[in-house]
Amino acid sequence: MHKLTVGAVRDRRISVIVARSIPLPKGTTKREPHWLRAEQLGKLADAMPPNCRPVVLFLGLAGCRFSEMCALRVDDVVQTPHGLGVRIHRAAPQSKRTSGAIFGPTKTHQTRTVPVPPTLETYVRDRIENAPSGSYLFPSPTGAIWTNTNFRVRSRWTETTQSVGLAGTTIHDLRHTAASLLIAAGADVKAVQMILGHATATMTMDLYGHLFSEAPRVAMERMPMFPEKPASRGDRE
């Protein structure tokens, strides 16, 4: 359409492109990242059904996208020099048309290895020792792949989050939770970027930069103090 109107102006069929004077609509306001404290994450996980608890802990500690977690199989567990890890090299988002899982590359089309959180090491070892090759690492109760819809139903997500005082918490908030916990544990920007699978460290800083540094708070605490001025008699009347 842009080329057509530019051509029409060039051919003197119209004198001006009126659309250029129309301001573009502003995008919708993005929801600020929300994360849980460690004790809140534990409380939420403990309130979940048995098949849902490992999912909540993995998302809240490893920070994978839900679609990446869904696609993980026991074959993706690897032994690294530093311990167990999982290779994140595919994703299975839910189709808006069919509601089924669609396998494809990760969001950034990159592969990364994420360390297995210590609290899930026993669970992961049990899966790779006892589950058949090709089985999902985090299966649904029927052994099938999770989708956002069936996880929300099985976990009774809305009711469960409300029951532990975390109403309004989304599944994606668990990814933000992992980022905040990693930073609190001393992870640097590059480590958080690699674990979460951000395309660049800049993206990580844009989202979580304020959590890496106490400089703004330290600076504010060093601002000069001024004693409170006593109210004059006239002010009190």
Side-chain angles (χ1 to χ4, degrees):
M1 181 63 71
H2 175 71
K3 290 182 178 180
L4 288 175
T5 52
V6 170
V9 170
R10 185 181 61 245
D11 297 338
R12 298 183 179 179
R13 295 178 182 274
I14 59 176
S15 58
V16 66
I17 302 176
V18 179
R20 282 182 174 171
S21 62
I22 302 175
L24 294 175
K26 294 183 178 180
T28 56
T29 302
K30 288 186 177 181
R31 179 175 178 267
E32 286 293 319
H34 170 73
W35 47 81
L36 309 181
R37 299 189 301 274
E39 62 271 21
Q40 291 176 317
L41 175 62
K43 194 173 182 180
L44 177 60
D46 289 343
M48 288 283 161
N51 287 90
C52 300
R53 185 176 188 273
V55 172
V56 169
L57 288 175
F58 184 73
L59 295 175
L61 295 172
C64 290
R65 300 174 179 89
F66 187 85
S67 61
E68 295 172 339
M69 177 280 303
C70 296
L72 282 173
R73 300 179 186 271
V74 294
D75 310 76
D76 295 321
V77 179
V78 294
Q79 182 67 50
T80 76
H82 310 290
L84 286 181
V86 286
R87 287 184 66 247
I88 310 294
H89 59 102
R90 69 172 83 84
Q94 185 174 3
S95 169
K96 293 181 180 179
R97 184 174 62 86
T98 67
S99 296
I102 303 176
F103 285 87
T106 63
K107 186 175 181 180
T108 57
H109 294 262
Q110 295 177 343
T111 296
R112 69 188 190 278
T113 298
V114 175
V116 172
T119 194
L120 285 172
E121 185 168 333
T122 299
Y123 168 88
V124 171
R125 289 192 183 279
D126 181 70
R127 286 295 296 166
I128 60 178
E129 290 174 6
N130 299 302
S133 177
S135 300
Y136 293 111
L137 185 59
F138 298 98
S140 73
T142 62
I145 189 171
W146 284 116
T147 63
N148 193 281
T149 298
N150 66 22
F151 182 78
R152 290 182 64 87
V153 171
R154 291 280 188 173
S155 67
R156 301 182 72 248
W157 182 266
T158 301
E159 296 83 357
T160 305
T161 52
Q162 288 177 345
S163 71
V164 295
L166 296 172
T169 298
T170 68
I171 295 174
H172 193 71
D173 286 338
L174 297 177
R175 180 167 161 84
H176 296 314
T177 296
S180 68
L181 293 176
L182 285 166
I183 294 167
D188 60 22
V189 177
K190 193 63 180 178
V192 176
Q193 178 204 346
M194 292 172 65
I195 292 174
L196 268 64
H198 286 156
T200 64
T202 300
M203 180 182 297
T204 306
M205 285 299 294
D206 286 344
L207 285 170
Y208 309 113
H210 59 292
L211 297 178
F212 282 100
S213 175
E214 295 183 359
R217 180 176 295 277
V218 171
M220 186 59 70
E221 289 175 349
R222 292 176 178 173
M223 294 293 281
M225 292 285 292
F226 297 93
E228 186 175 346
K229 182 180 179 182
S232 64
R233 183 176 180 181
D235 293 334
R236 292 194 296 266
E237 293 177 351

